[in-house]
Amino acid sequence: MKEAPNVSGFDFSVIGKGLPRKDAWEKATGAAQYTDDLKLPRMLVGKIKRSPHAHARILSIDTKKAKALPGVKAVLVGSEAPNLYGIMPQTPTESALSIDKVRFVGEGVAAVAAVDEDTASEALELINVEYEPLPAYLTPEEALEDGAVPIHEDKKGNNIIYEGKQSFGDVDQALSRSAYVLEKNFYTQCVNHAFMEPHSALARFDEGERLTLWSSSQIPHYLHRTLSLVLGIPMQRIRVILPTIGGGFGGKGEVASNELCAAFLARRTGRPVKITFEREEVFFTNKGRHPMRMHIKVGVDENGILQAIDFDTLMDGGAYLGWGVVVMFYCAAMLHLPYKVPNVRFHGMRVYTNKPTCGAMRGLGGVQPRFALETMLDEIALKLDMSPYELKRKNAVESGHTTALNNYVRHSEYKKCLDNVVKRSGYLEKRGKLPFGKGIGLAGAHYSSGTSYTLYLAYKPHSSALIRVDTESGVSVYCGAADIGQGSDMVMGMIAAETLGVPYSDVQVYSGDTGITPFDLGTFSSRVTVACGHAVEEAALEINKKLFGVAAVSLGVQGEQLTSQNGKILSQFEQKKSMDFWEAVGKYISASGPLTATGHYTPPRRSASGKVQGGNIGHAPTYGFTAQVAEVEVDIETGEVRVMKVTESGDCGQAINPISVEGQVEGSIVMGMGQALFEEMVAEGDRVINPNLHEYRIPTIADMPEIDTEIVESYDPESPYGAKECGEGPIQPVIPAILNAIYDAIGVRFNELPVTPEKVLAALHERPAS
Amino acid sequence: MGLPAFEYYCPDTSAELERLLSECGGQAKILAGGTDLLVQIKGGFQSPAVLIDIGNLESLQGISHKEGKGTEILAGTKIAAIEESPLIREKVLALYQAVRLLGSPQVRAMATLGGNICNASPSAETLPALIALGSELTVAGNGSERNLPVESFFLDYRKVDLGPGEYLKSVFVPEQSNVSGSAYLCRMLRGAMEIDIVNVGVWFLMDTEGRCQKARIALGSVAPKPFRAYEAEAVLTGKPLSEDNFQQAGKVASSESSPIDDIRGSAEYRRDIVRVMVARALSMASKSLQNS
């Protein structure tokens, strides 16, 4: 069990202690209740009929036979649910079911509710849809060709969803004056989150048109809004509840069609309706990482100091908007860190194609450019006869840095991460000195710890919390944060326990229920620990204040001299002057009624100075940092790359629960390794041919490298208990660390993912004999 | 469940199994572990009218060994039971090397050896090992039994030599002598739960001069059915058991394979890998011989 180094000067009793996850036992034994485990009386099963065409006009949908099938209670088609929605509310493009046109193979065209799954499946077969096929565009290049049919007819006659430009400084001049400029092309493939629990939603309408929706979602609030919009009922009559959730990684960060269809079918039938996706439906609806073509120039001076980055990308967006524009500008913002770059130019185009929509996925916007840039810096350093470590360290940002985009880095221990990982892994001793076929590679990264803006204009706090303390039920923390498996419930409980000076076991956290928990934007952008943590800490401090008032009178000391520790409220100066925490709670309630308090958090609003496209996107209250060293062995006869070991050093501020941090880091490393070596959604013609976890290869336990993680000494004084993110930063360096190690092993730079054995072998065959 | 309707029987005796099979003619499919069959039915690739579940037939389960003769594995024996059997590890190491890479622990707990053979996937893990070890199958039904070498059981892509009323009863692996070496190797795109790029079983008998007296090289995943690379075997026969000759056998085996392009790899890559894996398997078998 690891304890986080404590540099805050505080002697914490709960924070920084590695506590086993409260939900681990339930999940491991199968006791945890996921949405699909829920059953309600008279519940119906819903299913969605999907398009076999990538691009076609819907001429007619005949549902008569399906409706006549015994056991079928309702059939829904797109025109009956016409309100468009999208995670970016200003530009809605999606509907519960396609209305007059399908835009990818697997798009929903009709939904049924029936007494059981077999009947529902049979009913789907009886629905007859007449299509008029249109030309399908499967790559951004095809979709951009002259005369291509617009996939969305409301567009200005082409398939460009958005073209983004940002320019800071004088990139052309900086490049022309650079001592060395490296220019390269990169490509990243289409990958899916492969969360273990497929989407599932259960809808129930009560008397008076009140909807309750249980769903596997990261974003109860945006789901709440969207249900109101699409169903046309006020938000006040809707309650969204998150049961146990089996992962999201961004893929459940948008409203999914099963949630809307279940609600429509429940309303129509007056019975609860559940729709759970098959694994192939998860792949069809995707919202995974954008495939990106990147053309990049990086210039450095003779000492390896970064002068400019010129970045151009073509993003394959798939059929709908989703998080697309946010992903694009996140990508733009990612160029400015974790190194000091005075001149930066970004040009990006996100293009519609007739494929499943791409969206948010762990580390969004960062993974693709980080892969490219960290391998380029490796190459540049070696060209300059410099250690990649030295080059990265020279350019690394420190606390108080402001980027050209105006991101403010209030706290960074990135240099410490680099130093620590290089030392622990023996990088300097090994790089360039291992036998042919073995290699070691270094990469570093940052990620935003939250986001400065909501997706729609709103001024209310991004996170809020309510704490209720009473002698009967203990400490109850209510917060809207969505625990999707990352462990935020435990983090919030530990923050409350630390602040109130009670053991963690005295605290119960209630989260992710719009009916009982106060407002929170949801789980994305690695925002929860900092944002919701602030709110919980503030609420707990307010509880203390109320209790200190009671204790001050009892103990005869001034309230501001009191502190809460080990279940006691005591004087900071005279430990003898103390009273039991619960005694104080009892006295407070007897005298003043229920003991409750609220807290809330709004991040500092920052944007790019001046008028810059997408200039609000990518600003965060604080940033996490990480550095990794990968060691690989390449089988030079088969091309197999085996990652033997990954050493990681992370700056996540003060770790609230080091065991959870370790889990996030290890999960990130395995996920990144999957994209580096194994994973790809493969299309043959217009359909995905591996929409299953057999042929879509995520790493198995047999592929796990040895992983050695360490949390560096760090404390962000403006964060709750000094904490920062650790859920998305650690995926950023994985791919380039592995690819830099492959270069060290066999002298080949790969610029396209995934690096399959076949590509490795081909490259080895082409390699000039040395 | 999403399964089409079928009749279901679960006989308690072999006699009842034989009666059901002969009554159903070609309409029935035997349900063993179900790890292939149920997936295929659910996916709509098969829709048998009758399923005969052999899960209750203790007479079809078990591993036994006769000293000097060999090891008999009854067809309904679970893959996990083979994997965990000390007898298999001691007497039929190459089969152990194969079954431990079959599917996942969950799949191995359900799947049976007979099922893996009768499903006749070109990439089935157990087949190259069994073929290389010179195993025989016993097919029963219609009141009689017949024996045949494993490799001749496979007629074509996923077609096996089972007539109406017949079923696979057992697998017999002859005793390995202390001058024979064998090994199973495969190449996968990840460390587990894979359909292999290629799987290889090798076996050879060493003469008193340290030369290869006889060899069997069996390949899976690189042709419509598992097969013996006879020309590669010939290359080895009569020659010293040296790395050079293993490489040479690998090259010839590669030219005997007829892989296709698919999502897991191109035909060209597979041929290349056949060469490497055959040589490695022979080398591994040779080392096992030196160590014994």
Side-chain angles (χ1 to χ4, degrees), chain A residues 280-291:
Chain A
E280 77 174 15
E281 295 180 286
V282 173
F283 279 99
F284 290 155
T285 50
N286 191 29
K287 308 281 172 110
R289 205 183 298 293
H290 285 72

Side-chain angles (χ1 to χ4, degrees), chain A residues 117-118 635-640 642 678 682 689-690 693-700 702-703 757-758 761 765, chain B residues 1-3 42 187-195 247 263-269 272-273 275-277 280:
Chain A
E117 193 182 342
D118 284 352
D635 184 329
I636 55 175
E637 283 189 308
T638 65
E640 180 187 8
R642 174 101 211 182
F678 303 121
V682 180
I689 56 166
N690 58 342
L693 293 178
H694 196 212
E695 294 292 3
Y696 182 89
R697 291 178 170 75
I698 58 172
T700 69
D703 301 292
E758 205 162 340
L761 205 58
H765 287 168
Chain B
M1 271 297 277
L3 290 171
K42 218 174 164 180
R187 175 76 193 97
M188 307 185 284
L189 288 179
R190 65 177 172 189
M193 296 191 63
E194 274 292 88
I195 296 176
Q247 294 288 342
I263 186 170
R264 287 174 289 275
S266 69
E268 192 190 346
Y269 178 69
D272 216 7
I273 296 309
R275 176 182 60 78
V276 175
M277 298 314 277
R280 284 187 186 178

Side-chain angles (χ1 to χ4, degrees), chain A residues 20 169 246 279 323 399 478 486 505 514 548 574 722:
Chain A
R279 181 60 60 179
W323 279 95
S399 299
Y478 301 84
Q486 86 277 37
S505 55
T514 63
F548 291 175
E574 267 180 282

Side-chain angles (χ1 to χ4, degrees), chain A residues 102-180:
Chain A
V102 290
R103 297 178 173 89
F104 63 95
V105 171
E107 180 163 11
V109 291
V112 300
V115 290
D116 58 36
E117 193 182 342
D118 284 352
T119 309
S121 300
E122 200 181 333
L124 294 187
E125 298 296 317
L126 297 175
I127 296 171
N128 190 30
V129 186
E130 207 186 336
Y131 296 97
E132 178 195 329
L134 297 165
Y137 307 108
L138 305 172
T139 63
E141 290 83 357
E142 284 172 31
L144 287 174
E145 274 171 19
D146 285 346
V149 177
I151 293 169
H152 288 264
E153 281 159 355
D154 53 330
K155 297 293 297 178
K156 306 152 278 220
N158 64 36
N159 284 313
I160 299 169
I161 303 161
Y162 202 85
E163 183 168 6
K165 290 176 189 165
Q166 289 183 352
S167 186
F168 303 96
D170 191 334
V171 170
D172 292 321
Q173 190 184 66
L175 286 173
S176 70
R177 289 184 184 167
S178 290
Y180 182 72

